[in-house]
């Protein structure tokens, strides 16, 4: 076999990722086709729980086609927990998601018409040690650290509960493959066996000095039969009322093995809980996390190197690094993946028909590509060349046949599909539209409110992997009007490019703003205070810049921009209307503070115009008209005009021109499109 960490930027959240869970998804385009296991596992959803109490649901894909369509919304941040989320568990047959926080709160989420909502809530006030769905998805096993265990139905009805009197805590709980018994592991190395009705069957001591960290079977998490149809391929799927949905799962020809991991790093492979001669794996790691793949033939064990191993290395002490070791059903070591991760791996999960292994370490998420068969020479060459290249665009610089270049490019196609902005190229991310049709959902927070720096400051965050990524910053520059200046954290301008704009008119009857998060965020550039923004430059050497288009219809827009002289006189704007001219910020401030655009407004705050300040942006970025009726008898109406910003060549000069004079101060009707 072969395993390698996926190439590309490291995926990070704004807090530590504490748990992972993955489920498959059938594409909408193949709804009418018979369910195929390969097709079902090509796409899926990854659930993450972090230290800020937010659950992230993120779209993933393992196919190598860049033109493959994706859902319109590819990331959800689910808020509701009051403490850190420590467990996330998918229920694939019923398409539900169970999440548990550190205070004992349990939420069961369900998606309906593209929105996630809480279906069930359970809060006993005690810490949850484990939450496990039965293999048919109809029952849930909840175990608490204080010895209380509960089994309930998928709809929230309690079947039975029991109080286990122990001197130690319960650390984990699982179902047997036939869902007729439940097993509990304790912190003093014991295993407690109960039947599906709550009767005590056995109490066995597996290890005298080591506690049980986790237990699992090399068996599919959900076992259902094949079907010729799929009712769960769309995002608007509603679970059936009379039974679970059907998913194809590989048939297991081997007897299931019970895997028990201990605090010492050892792992026991047992035929059953009363096996007297188990196979013991000496992993040599600490803080181990183990999980079988779906097909049950490969065990992944992740952990940190021990100090004894590091002491044998020459050239002095070295930093500890995380490792992933793979074993077969006989406990034989097959492969070791050395990572550069310096933090412990908190959680791992398999996905995409066992071709991906997802690992969480601190705030970072790593994707490991796994090849179960003997790796081919072509695959080894692909990984070796991709390791030396920095980006996908460097592949075209190689003198290779087109077919090999295409194969080499597949190494850079990410599994996690939401576009995470590159910190070194933030300007391109916020300025250009994405290649697909996906929607990017953001959250805005007020980060500063200091009158000495020129007004309140706001930060726009992109929702990603259950966290928030800062992408834009804005500051109010006027005390009378709602006027703002927008900036980005980094600069990567290219003056030799022209950006075209095509007018897009959208009429929105109601404006739904995203809820602001209740978490505090800190980033390097948001904490820095910008200096005061001068309204006008008193120096006669600074040119004045006008953004009004010339009236001559024979002169194209691109030629107007190139031929415009800063010494041309400016047209005086009408009194009371939002100014169409750029505020005369000194050029040093525009470059230093990375100003992108300015939002101007009339005195009533009902008409706004967005003016480009950066050299690569078009001067007119759009306008917004907000209308209300007398006594608010009619619904409020908002009209948004946004030109699309695109990178184009210098030869393309026939560009549509956005007319800034489409609005007047006294207009009552919407302008004709």
């Amino acid at each position: 076999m072969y395993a390698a960490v996926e190439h590309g930027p490291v995926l990070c959240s704004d807090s530590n990722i504490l748990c992972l869970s993955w489920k498959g998804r059938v594409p909408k385009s193949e709804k009418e086709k018979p369910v195929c296991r390969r097709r079902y596992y090509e796409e899926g959803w990854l659930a993450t729980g972090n230290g800020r109490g937010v659950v992230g649901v993120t779209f993933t894909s393992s196919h190598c086609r860049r033109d493959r369509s994706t859902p319109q919304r590819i990331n959800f941040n689910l808020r509701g927990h009051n403490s850190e989320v420590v467990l996330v568990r998918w229920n694939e047959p019923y398409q539900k998601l169970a999440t548990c926080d550190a205070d004992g709160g349990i939420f069961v989420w369900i998606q309906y018409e593209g929105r996630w909502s809480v279906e069930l809530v359970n809060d006993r006030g005690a810490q949850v040690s484990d939450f496990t769905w039965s293999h048919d998805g109809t029952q849930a096993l909840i175990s608490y650290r204080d010895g209380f265990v509960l089994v309930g139905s998928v709809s929230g009805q309690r079947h039975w509960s029991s109080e286990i009197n122990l001197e130690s805590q319960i650390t984990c709980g699982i179902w047997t493959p036939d869902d007729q018994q439940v097993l509990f592991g304790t912190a003093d190395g014991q295993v407690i066996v109960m039947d599906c009705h709550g009767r005590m069957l056995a109490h066995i001591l597996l290890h005298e000095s080591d506690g049980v960290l986790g237990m699992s079977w090399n068996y599919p998490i959900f076992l259902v039969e094949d079907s010729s149809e799929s009712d769960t391929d769309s995002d608007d799927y509603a679970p059936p009322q009379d039974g679970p949905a059907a998913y194809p799962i590989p048939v297991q020809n081997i007897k299931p093995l019970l895997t028990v991991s201990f605090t010492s790093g050892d792992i026991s492979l047992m035929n059953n809980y009363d096996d007297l001669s188990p196979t013991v794996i000496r992993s040599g790691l600490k803080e181990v996390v183990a999980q079988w793949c779906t097909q049950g033939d490969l065990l992944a064990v992740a952990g940190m190197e021990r100090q004894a191993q590091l002491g044998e290395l020459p050239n002095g002490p070295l930093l500890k690094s995380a490792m992933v070791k793979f074993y077969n059903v006989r406990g034989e070591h097959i492969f070791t993946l050395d990572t550069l991760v310096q933090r412990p791996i908190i959680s791992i999960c398999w996905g995409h028909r066992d071709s991906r292994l997802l690992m969480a370490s601190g705030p970072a998420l790593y994707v490991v590509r796994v090849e179960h068969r003997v790796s081919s020479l072509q695959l080894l060459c692909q990984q070796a060349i991709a390791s030396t290249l920095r980006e996908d665009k460097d592949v075209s610089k190689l003198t290779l046949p087109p077919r090999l270049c295409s194969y080499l490019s597949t190494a850079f196609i990410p599994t996690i599909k939401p576009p995470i902005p590159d910190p070194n190229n933030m300007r391109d991310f916020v300025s250009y539209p994405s290649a697909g049709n996906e929607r990017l959902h953001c959250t805005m927070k007020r980060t500063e409110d200091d009158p000495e720096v020129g007004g309140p400051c706001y930060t726009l965050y992109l929702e990603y992997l259950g966290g928030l990524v800062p992408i834009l910053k804005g500051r109010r520059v006027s005390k009378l009007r709602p006027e703002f200046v927008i900036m980005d954290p980094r600069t990567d301008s290219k003056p030799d490019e022209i950006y075209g704009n095509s007018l897009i008119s959208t009429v929105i009857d109601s404006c739904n703003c995203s809820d602001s998060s209740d978490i505090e965020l800190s980033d390097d550039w948001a904490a820095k205070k910008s200096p005061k923004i001068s309204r006008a430059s008193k120096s006669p050497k600074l040119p004045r810049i006008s953004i009004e288009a010339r009236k001559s219809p024979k002169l194209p827009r691109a030629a107007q921009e190139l031929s415009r002289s800063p010494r041309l006189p400016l047209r005086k704007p009408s009194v009371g209307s939002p100014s169409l001219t750029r505020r005369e910020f000194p050029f040093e401030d525009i470059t230093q503070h990375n100003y992108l655009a300015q939002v101007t407004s009339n005195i009533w705050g009902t008409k706004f115009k967005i003016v480009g300040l950066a050299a690569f942006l078009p001067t007119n970025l759009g306008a917004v008209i907000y209308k209300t009726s007398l006594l608010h008898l009619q619904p409020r109406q908002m009209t948004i005009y946004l030109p699309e910003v695109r990178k184009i060549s210098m030869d393309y000069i026939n560009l549509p021109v956005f007319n800034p004079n489409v609005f007047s101060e006294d207009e009552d009707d919407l302008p004709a499109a």
Side-chain angles (χ1 to χ4, degrees):
M1 65 159 294
Y2 181 78
V5 180
E6 194 170 77
H7 301 281
V10 179
L11 310 176
C12 290
S13 181
D14 61 347
S15 60
N16 291 336
I17 301 176
L18 304 179
C19 47
L20 300 172
S21 182
W22 186 89
K23 79 174 184 70
R25 170 186 180 270
V26 178
K28 270 187 177 181
S29 59
E30 303 182 3
K31 180 178 180 180
E32 302 300 331
K33 301 179 182 179
V35 176
C36 173
R37 177 160 45 96
R38 179 186 299 273
R39 194 167 62 246
Y40 169 71
Y41 284 119
E42 282 186 350
E43 297 179 355
W45 294 94
L46 174 67
T48 61
N50 60 28
R52 296 188 183 272
V54 182
V55 179
V57 180
T58 307
F59 178 74
T60 63
S61 176
S62 63
H63 53 69
C64 298
R65 293 174 52 187
R66 294 183 182 271
D67 57 346
R68 191 75 172 265
S69 60
T70 59
Q72 282 191 337
R73 184 166 182 178
I74 49 184
N75 186 85
F76 296 86
N77 281 10
L78 311 182
R79 299 176 177 89
H81 289 282
N82 296 324
S83 59
E84 58 185 14
V85 179
V86 295
L87 289 173
V88 289
R89 296 288 188 268
W90 280 111
N91 186 334
E92 291 193 32
Y94 287 88
Q95 297 292 283
K96 295 183 179 182
L97 175 64
T99 60
C100 308
D101 58 34
D103 294 337
I106 302 175
F107 290 1
V108 178
W109 306 79
I110 189 170
Q111 189 182 26
Y112 180 72
E113 294 184 352
R115 295 176 180 268
W116 284 93
S117 60
V118 178
E119 184 185 39
L120 299 173
V121 177
N122 183 13
D123 190 357
R124 183 175 166 268
Q127 291 186 355
V128 179
S129 60
D130 204 353
F131 185 104
T132 309
W133 295 102
S134 59
H135 292 83
D136 58 0
T138 59
Q139 300 181 88
L141 171 64
I142 308 174
S143 56
Y144 294 86
R145 292 189 178 274
D146 59 359
F148 184 81
V149 296
L150 182 147
V151 172
S153 67
V154 69
S155 59
Q157 299 176 353
R158 177 180 296 194
H159 289 175
W160 60 268
S161 61
S162 178
E163 186 81 25
I164 303 177
N165 297 322
L166 296 172
E167 296 180 357
S168 61
Q169 297 179 343
I170 294 179
T171 58
C172 58
I174 61 172
W175 294 85
T176 54
D178 56 0
D179 292 335
Q180 297 301 311
Q181 296 175 356
V182 290
L183 309 180
F184 301 99
T186 64
D188 56 358
Q190 301 182 58
V191 171
I192 301 171
V193 185
M194 304 178 70
D195 65 3
C196 60
H197 302 291
R199 292 188 294 266
M200 184 72 66
L201 298 181
H203 198 152
I204 302 173
L205 178 63
L206 295 183
H207 208 291
E208 296 181 356
S209 58
D210 295 334
V212 177
L213 283 180
M215 296 187 297
S216 62
W217 298 88
N218 64 333
Y219 199 74
I221 300 177
F222 296 102
L223 182 61
V224 287
E225 298 178 355
D226 295 349
S227 174
S228 59
E229 295 181 355
S230 174
D231 298 327
T232 62
D233 47 351
S234 65
D235 296 336
D236 302 335
Y237 164 72
Q241 302 297 329
D242 55 349
Y247 287 96
I249 295 295
V251 178
Q252 300 293 311
N253 296 323
I254 56 178
K255 186 177 181 180
L257 292 175
L258 174 61
T259 304
V260 183
S261 56
F262 298 94
T263 54
S264 62
D266 296 342
I267 299 174
S268 297
L269 304 181
M270 312 169 65
N271 293 324
N272 205 347
Y273 59 84
D274 54 356
D275 190 357
L276 299 179
S277 58
T279 302
V280 180
I281 298 176
R282 309 290 183 182
S283 65
L285 305 175
K286 65 177 182 179
E287 302 176 6
V288 296
V289 182
Q291 189 177 42
W292 286 97
C293 66
T294 305
Q295 299 180 2
D297 59 346
L298 197 61
L299 175 65
V301 180
M304 298 293 293
E305 293 181 276
R306 290 191 172 275
Q307 296 290 347
Q309 296 177 352
L310 299 176
E312 300 173 357
L313 298 176
N315 302 328
L318 296 177
L319 295 176
K320 297 184 295 181
S321 61
M323 303 175 61
V324 183
K325 296 184 178 181
F326 297 90
Y327 300 88
N328 59 14
V329 294
R330 295 180 295 274
E332 301 171 350
H333 178 256
I334 299 178
F335 187 82
T336 299
L337 174 63
D338 295 322
T339 66
L340 300 178
V341 182
Q342 304 299 330
R343 294 185 178 185
I345 297 178
I346 304 300
S347 178
I348 63 174
C349 72
W350 291 88
H352 296 288
R353 205 190 175 196
D354 302 332
S355 64
R356 299 291 189 273
L357 180 65
L358 306 166
M359 305 186 307
S361 175
L365 178 65
Y366 300 91
V367 181
V368 178
R369 298 193 178 189
V370 181
E371 177 68 30
H372 291 252
R373 299 173 298 180
V374 177
S375 56
S376 62
L377 181 60
Q378 187 180 23
L379 175 62
L380 297 177
C381 293
Q382 179 203 48
Q383 294 297 322
I385 298 176
S387 300
T388 59
L389 300 178
R390 294 183 178 180
E391 298 177 345
D392 185 16
K393 61 182 181 181
D394 296 335
V395 177
S396 59
K397 301 178 182 179
L398 303 177
T399 56
L400 294 175
R403 185 174 181 180
L404 292 180
C405 287
S406 177
Y407 176 73
L408 184 59
S409 299
T410 59
F412 294 93
I413 299 178
T415 300
I416 309 295
K417 291 305 179 185
I420 181 70
D422 185 3
N424 298 322
N425 201 13
M426 184 71 70
R427 173 162 290 186
D428 286 352
F429 179 83
V430 299
S431 300
Y432 311 145
S434 57
N437 297 324
E438 63 272 6
R439 300 175 183 176
L440 304 181
H441 287 251
C442 301
T443 298
M444 182 177 293
K445 288 182 62 65
R446 186 167 180 165
T447 55
E448 292 180 9
D449 191 4
D450 191 351
E452 296 182 358
V453 298
C457 182
Y458 302 87
T459 305
L460 185 69
Y461 296 90
L462 174 67
E463 296 185 357
Y464 182 75
L465 285 177
L468 300 177
V469 180
I471 58 175
L472 280 177
K473 184 178 181 180
R475 184 180 300 280
R476 186 167 181 172
V477 295
S478 175
K479 295 183 179 179
L480 299 178
R481 301 183 181 187
E483 296 184 345
F484 303 85
V485 62
I486 302 174
M487 63 197 79
D488 64 345
R490 299 185 66 93
T491 303
D492 188 15
S493 59
K494 298 179 181 180
D496 56 344
E497 296 173 344
I498 291 182
Y499 296 80
N501 55 351
S502 59
L503 186 61
I504 300 176
S505 177
T506 305
V507 178
I508 303 178
D509 293 333
S510 61
C511 179
N512 295 327
C513 299
S514 60
D515 298 334
S516 60
S517 175
D518 55 353
I519 57 179
E520 297 179 358
L521 301 169
S522 61
D523 50 271
D524 296 337
W525 55 268
K528 297 180 181 179
K529 297 182 179 180
S530 301
K532 290 185 178 180
I533 302 175
S534 58
R535 284 303 187 91
S537 176
K538 297 181 180 180
S539 174
K541 297 181 181 181
L542 291 176
R544 296 172 59 87
I545 305 175
S546 173
I547 67 168
E548 294 194 50
R550 306 286 293 181
K551 289 186 177 182
S552 174
K554 297 181 181 180
L555 189 61
R557 171 63 185 271
Q560 294 176 17
E561 295 290 338
L562 295 176
S563 62
R564 183 177 297 162
S565 173
R567 296 189 179 92
L568 291 177
L570 297 175
R571 181 189 304 176
K572 187 176 180 180
S574 60
V575 178
S577 64
S579 174
L580 296 179
T581 59
R582 286 191 177 116
R583 297 293 185 187
E584 295 163 10
F585 300 112
F587 288 138
E588 294 81 2
D589 290 348
I590 295 178
T591 304
Q592 179 181 359
H593 301 293
N594 306 328
Y595 294 153
L596 288 179
Q598 181 189 7
V599 180
T600 62
S601 169
N602 61 356
I603 194 64
W604 309 107
T606 58
K607 297 179 182 180
F608 302 87
K609 292 181 180 179
I610 307 173
V611 180
L613 294 179
F616 66 92
L617 288 174
T619 52
N620 298 290
L621 290 176
V624 178
I625 297 179
Y626 180 77
K627 284 192 174 183
T628 58
S629 63
L630 183 62
L631 301 179
H632 300 279
L633 298 178
Q634 299 294 330
R636 290 169 292 182
Q637 190 177 67
M638 182 181 294
T639 306
I640 302 177
Y641 287 81
L642 291 178
E644 182 181 358
V645 181
R646 295 175 290 123
K647 264 186 185 179
I648 61 174
S649 63
M650 290 290 295
D651 298 333
Y652 188 78
I653 60 175
N654 297 323
L655 302 176
V657 180
F658 172 71
N659 184 10
N661 299 320
V662 69
F663 307 110
S664 62
E665 185 67 17
D666 55 352
E667 63 180 339
D668 295 330
D669 300 328
L670 294 177

